[in-house]
Amino acid sequence: MKKTLLLVIAMTLLNCNGNAQKKEKKETEDYKVSKTDAEWKKELTKEQYYVLFEEGTERPFSSPLNKNYEKGIYHCAACNTPLFKSEHKFDSGTGWPSFDRTIEGNVAYGTDSKLGYVRDEEHCATCGGHLGHVFNDGPKATTGKRHCINGVALKFVPSEE
């Protein structure tokens, strides 16, 4: 019983993420596309808002974009900035759309320590929307990077070929 209680307390402390830090981050960063929370909520679905602006994560294997193999460009679902090319997408087996590189200059990086360890977080450089995380376990034959992205944060635009 004591071990269970200690585990619950430890998990609670590790997962605490103060709202003051989130608000400070949004207020101090300037993006080309900046809207109020009310405006974003009006334009996006609840799940899109949760992932993009509350830094949530969608369930693995829930996005139809995970198994999308069409040619095209993946854009930010909030501001339509092109982020990833289909030619750089690969099946990582993780349940989220994965890419080995970004479209240069359109993705910004930060750190995320909500799980008790540090991860490299990715945001849209235009609107600040949370996309996912980048890891160093991608294809060795290309960049070695795995940009693990929430499908709900993306909008796929097929090629006109």
Side-chain angles (χ1 to χ4, degrees):
M1 181 70 177
K2 284 184 181 182
K3 287 182 183 179
T4 304
L5 181 60
L6 287 174
L7 180 62
V8 169
I9 291 170
M11 288 176 61
T12 301
L13 291 174
L14 288 175
N15 287 322
C16 285
N17 189 17
N19 287 332
Q21 288 86 356
K22 283 185 183 179
K23 286 181 182 173
E24 183 180 333
K25 177 181 165 186
K26 282 189 176 184
E27 290 171 0
T28 59
E29 292 185 33
D30 292 322
Y31 295 103
K32 291 177 193 170
V33 174
S34 182
K35 299 180 182 184
T36 65
D37 284 340
E39 290 171 320
W40 285 125
K41 285 179 179 179
K42 189 175 180 181
E43 293 179 19
L44 302 169
T45 67
K46 283 184 178 186
E47 189 175 18
Q48 286 174 322
Y49 181 81
Y50 168 70
V51 168
L52 286 160
F53 295 104
E54 293 181 340
E55 299 179 347
T57 302
E58 69 186 0
R59 289 179 298 111
F61 303 101
S62 65
S63 172
L65 294 180
N66 186 43
K67 295 291 185 179
N68 179 36
Y69 300 109
E70 293 180 57
K71 288 186 180 183
I73 305 289
Y74 293 84
H75 292 237
C76 174
C79 70
N80 206 31
T81 297
L83 303 169
F84 304 96
K85 296 179 181 180
S86 61
E87 63 206 58
H88 301 134
K89 187 173 185 285
F90 67 97
D91 187 354
S92 65
T94 62
W96 290 280
S98 297
F99 305 85
D100 69 355
R101 66 196 81 175
T102 67
I103 293 177
E104 185 110 9
N106 292 353
V107 175
Y109 300 91
T111 56
D112 171 8
S113 57
K114 288 183 231 109
L115 296 179
Y117 60 94
V118 176
R119 298 183 294 172
D120 293 323
E121 188 171 33
E122 295 184 293
H123 292 269
C124 174
T126 304
C127 69
H130 168 76
L131 303 171
H133 298 87
V134 61
F135 303 97
N136 291 319
D137 59 2
K140 302 254 185 279
T142 59
T143 64
K145 299 290 184 190
R146 174 174 54 97
H147 298 266
C148 187
I149 307 301
N150 290 284
V152 74
L154 301 173
K155 178 176 85 172
F156 180 70
V157 178
S159 294
E160 294 182 13
E161 294 180 323

